[in-house]
Amino acid sequence: MSYRIDVEVNSSSTKIPSVENIEHWISTALHSDELAEAEVSVYIVDEEESQELNFQYRAKDKPTNVLSFPADIPDEVGVPLLGDLVVCAPVVEREAQEQGKTLEAHWAHMLVHGTLHLLGYDHVEDDEAEVMEALETRLITQLNFPAPYTETVEG
């Protein structure tokens, strides 16, 4: 399997995971779909840029943790571009703290979650959400992190 994962950082955060970790987490999700090859771009931003993109593409005027932009290339073209992920570092950091999760575990979850969207998974309908969340849980625990949808209580 041949995966190309490009990472670009346009964030002032000092808590962004290593490129190696980002590649590993995304590759784990890609491997679950048994793709022979795939290209994914990851763009890490701050809240202002995330909010602009979320408003432009989803009509939601607030920053969000991860946006997924699947490539719309016909299979017959033979280009392995799967799509782009835009991750807002400050939102991921804040959510990890609010949810009582380690920052690394939440980054892994957001990158796996976004990659699954690129692979066509969704969580709009309850049955779709069950399938996607079960796969996310399997992948995140396979990466040796706690199940992502388990409530964590501090103290």
Side-chain angles (χ1 to χ4, degrees):
M1 307 209 178
S2 173
Y3 302 136
R4 179 180 172 166
I5 300 161
D6 296 314
V7 179
E8 184 178 338
V9 178
N10 188 28
S11 170
S12 58
S13 174
T14 58
K15 300 175 183 178
I16 296 168
S18 69
V19 171
E20 293 78 18
N21 280 345
I22 291 170
E23 290 173 344
H24 177 62
W25 299 330
I26 291 173
S27 293
T28 298
L30 293 172
H31 186 71
S32 72
D33 207 56
E34 300 181 3
L35 289 176
E37 58 182 333
E39 291 181 25
V40 174
S41 293
V42 180
Y43 187 48
I44 300 170
V45 300
D46 285 330
E47 289 177 298
E48 182 179 336
E49 191 166 2
S50 174
Q51 184 168 341
E52 288 172 7
L53 290 168
N54 200 21
F55 183 72
Q56 181 178 352
Y57 291 100
R58 297 178 64 227
K60 295 186 178 189
D61 195 16
K62 64 180 184 174
T64 189
N65 49 26
V66 62
L67 292 166
S68 301
F69 297 97
D72 192 17
I73 300 171
D75 290 341
E76 58 271 9
V77 173
V79 176
L81 181 62
L82 196 58
D84 303 323
L85 298 176
V86 178
V87 184
C88 182
V91 171
V92 172
E93 292 165 14
R94 186 171 50 253
E95 287 177 347
Q97 186 174 27
E98 291 169 355
Q99 296 171 20
K101 298 177 180 178
T102 68
L103 184 54
E104 186 177 45
H106 197 48
W107 266 100
H109 180 213
M110 291 300 93
L111 289 166
V112 165
H113 181 90
T115 303
L116 291 179
H117 277 306
L118 295 180
L119 291 169
Y121 291 89
D122 209 340
H123 47 81
V124 175
E125 303 294 330
D126 287 345
D127 57 336
E128 293 174 332
E130 286 178 27
V131 169
M132 186 172 178
E133 289 177 13
L135 181 54
E136 284 176 82
T137 298
R138 181 173 65 80
L139 293 170
I140 293 300
T141 57
Q142 178 184 323
L143 289 165
N144 296 314
F145 293 112
Y149 295 106
T150 313
E151 299 236 356
T152 306
V153 179
E154 289 187 42

Short mmCIF file of all heavy atoms in Angstrom, two decimals, residues 2 35 37-40 71-83:
data_model
loop_
_atom_site.label_atom_id
_atom_site.label_comp_id
_atom_site.label_asym_id
_atom_site.label_seq_id
_atom_site.Cartn_x
_atom_site.Cartn_y
_atom_site.Cartn_z
N SER A 2 0.50 2.17 -0.81
CA SER A 2 1.30 3.37 -0.98
C SER A 2 0.44 4.59 -0.67
O SER A 2 -0.50 4.89 -1.41
CB SER A 2 1.81 3.44 -2.42
OG SER A 2 2.44 4.67 -2.65
N LEU A 35 -7.24 0.45 0.59
CA LEU A 35 -6.85 1.17 -0.63
C LEU A 35 -5.42 0.80 -0.99
O LEU A 35 -4.55 0.73 -0.13
CB LEU A 35 -6.91 2.68 -0.40
CG LEU A 35 -8.29 3.31 -0.26
CD1 LEU A 35 -8.14 4.78 0.05
CD2 LEU A 35 -9.09 3.11 -1.53
N GLU A 37 -3.51 2.66 -3.00
CA GLU A 37 -2.78 3.91 -2.90
C GLU A 37 -3.76 5.06 -2.67
O GLU A 37 -4.92 4.98 -3.05
CB GLU A 37 -1.92 4.16 -4.13
CG GLU A 37 -2.65 4.20 -5.45
CD GLU A 37 -1.71 4.42 -6.62
OE1 GLU A 37 -0.64 5.02 -6.45
OE2 GLU A 37 -2.08 3.99 -7.72
N ALA A 38 -3.25 6.09 -2.03
CA ALA A 38 -4.09 7.25 -1.75
C ALA A 38 -3.20 8.44 -1.42
O ALA A 38 -2.10 8.28 -0.89
CB ALA A 38 -5.04 6.97 -0.59
N GLU A 39 -3.71 9.62 -1.75
CA GLU A 39 -3.05 10.87 -1.39
C GLU A 39 -4.02 11.71 -0.58
O GLU A 39 -5.18 11.87 -0.97
CB GLU A 39 -2.64 11.66 -2.64
CG GLU A 39 -1.53 11.04 -3.43
CD GLU A 39 -1.14 11.88 -4.64
OE1 GLU A 39 -1.36 13.11 -4.62
OE2 GLU A 39 -0.62 11.29 -5.60
N VAL A 40 -3.53 12.21 0.54
CA VAL A 40 -4.34 13.07 1.42
C VAL A 40 -3.48 14.28 1.79
O VAL A 40 -2.30 14.13 2.11
CB VAL A 40 -4.76 12.32 2.70
CG1 VAL A 40 -5.48 13.25 3.67
CG2 VAL A 40 -5.63 11.11 2.37
N ALA A 71 -11.95 14.58 -2.73
CA ALA A 71 -11.66 14.91 -4.13
C ALA A 71 -12.78 14.37 -4.99
O ALA A 71 -13.33 13.31 -4.72
CB ALA A 71 -10.32 14.30 -4.53
N ASP A 72 -13.10 15.10 -6.01
CA ASP A 72 -14.19 14.69 -6.91
C ASP A 72 -13.58 14.34 -8.27
O ASP A 72 -13.82 15.02 -9.26
CB ASP A 72 -15.21 15.82 -7.03
CG ASP A 72 -16.49 15.38 -7.71
OD1 ASP A 72 -16.73 14.16 -7.80
OD2 ASP A 72 -17.24 16.26 -8.15
N ILE A 73 -12.78 13.27 -8.26
CA ILE A 73 -12.08 12.85 -9.46
C ILE A 73 -12.64 11.49 -9.89
O ILE A 73 -12.66 10.55 -9.09
CB ILE A 73 -10.57 12.74 -9.20
CG1 ILE A 73 -10.01 14.09 -8.75
CG2 ILE A 73 -9.84 12.23 -10.44
CD1 ILE A 73 -8.58 14.05 -8.27
N PRO A 74 -13.10 11.35 -11.12
CA PRO A 74 -13.63 10.07 -11.57
C PRO A 74 -12.58 8.96 -11.46
O PRO A 74 -11.39 9.19 -11.69
CB PRO A 74 -14.00 10.32 -13.03
CG PRO A 74 -14.09 11.80 -13.17
CD PRO A 74 -13.16 12.38 -12.16
N ASP A 75 -13.00 7.75 -11.09
CA ASP A 75 -12.09 6.61 -10.92
C ASP A 75 -11.27 6.34 -12.17
O ASP A 75 -10.09 5.99 -12.09
CB ASP A 75 -12.88 5.35 -10.54
CG ASP A 75 -13.44 5.43 -9.13
OD1 ASP A 75 -12.94 6.25 -8.33
OD2 ASP A 75 -14.38 4.67 -8.84
N GLU A 76 -11.88 6.51 -13.35
CA GLU A 76 -11.19 6.19 -14.60
C GLU A 76 -9.99 7.10 -14.87
O GLU A 76 -9.12 6.78 -15.68
CB GLU A 76 -12.14 6.19 -15.80
CG GLU A 76 -12.88 7.47 -16.04
CD GLU A 76 -14.22 7.58 -15.29
OE1 GLU A 76 -14.51 6.73 -14.43
OE2 GLU A 76 -14.94 8.54 -15.57
N VAL A 77 -9.91 8.24 -14.18
CA VAL A 77 -8.76 9.13 -14.36
C VAL A 77 -7.51 8.51 -13.75
O VAL A 77 -6.39 8.74 -14.22
CB VAL A 77 -9.06 10.53 -13.74
CG1 VAL A 77 -7.83 11.42 -13.77
CG2 VAL A 77 -10.22 11.18 -14.46
N GLY A 78 -7.69 7.68 -12.74
CA GLY A 78 -6.57 6.96 -12.15
C GLY A 78 -5.68 7.77 -11.23
O GLY A 78 -4.52 7.43 -11.01
N VAL A 79 -6.18 8.85 -10.71
CA VAL A 79 -5.42 9.67 -9.76
C VAL A 79 -5.81 9.25 -8.34
O VAL A 79 -7.00 9.22 -8.03
CB VAL A 79 -5.72 11.18 -9.98
CG1 VAL A 79 -5.03 12.03 -8.94
CG2 VAL A 79 -5.31 11.60 -11.38
N PRO A 80 -4.85 8.93 -7.49
CA PRO A 80 -5.19 8.43 -6.16
C PRO A 80 -5.53 9.50 -5.13
O PRO A 80 -5.58 9.22 -3.94
CB PRO A 80 -3.92 7.67 -5.76
CG PRO A 80 -2.82 8.42 -6.43
CD PRO A 80 -3.42 8.88 -7.75
N LEU A 81 -5.77 10.75 -5.57
CA LEU A 81 -6.07 11.83 -4.64
C LEU A 81 -7.41 11.57 -3.95
O LEU A 81 -8.45 11.50 -4.60
CB LEU A 81 -6.12 13.18 -5.36
CG LEU A 81 -6.41 14.39 -4.48
CD1 LEU A 81 -5.32 14.56 -3.42
CD2 LEU A 81 -6.52 15.64 -5.32
N LEU A 82 -7.35 11.38 -2.63
CA LEU A 82 -8.56 11.13 -1.86
C LEU A 82 -9.22 12.43 -1.43
O LEU A 82 -10.44 12.55 -1.44
CB LEU A 82 -8.21 10.27 -0.64
CG LEU A 82 -9.35 9.60 0.08
CD1 LEU A 82 -10.13 8.68 -0.85
CD2 LEU A 82 -8.82 8.81 1.25
N GLY A 83 -8.42 13.42 -1.03
CA GLY A 83 -8.97 14.70 -0.63
C GLY A 83 -8.11 15.43 0.37
O GLY A 83 -6.96 15.07 0.61
#
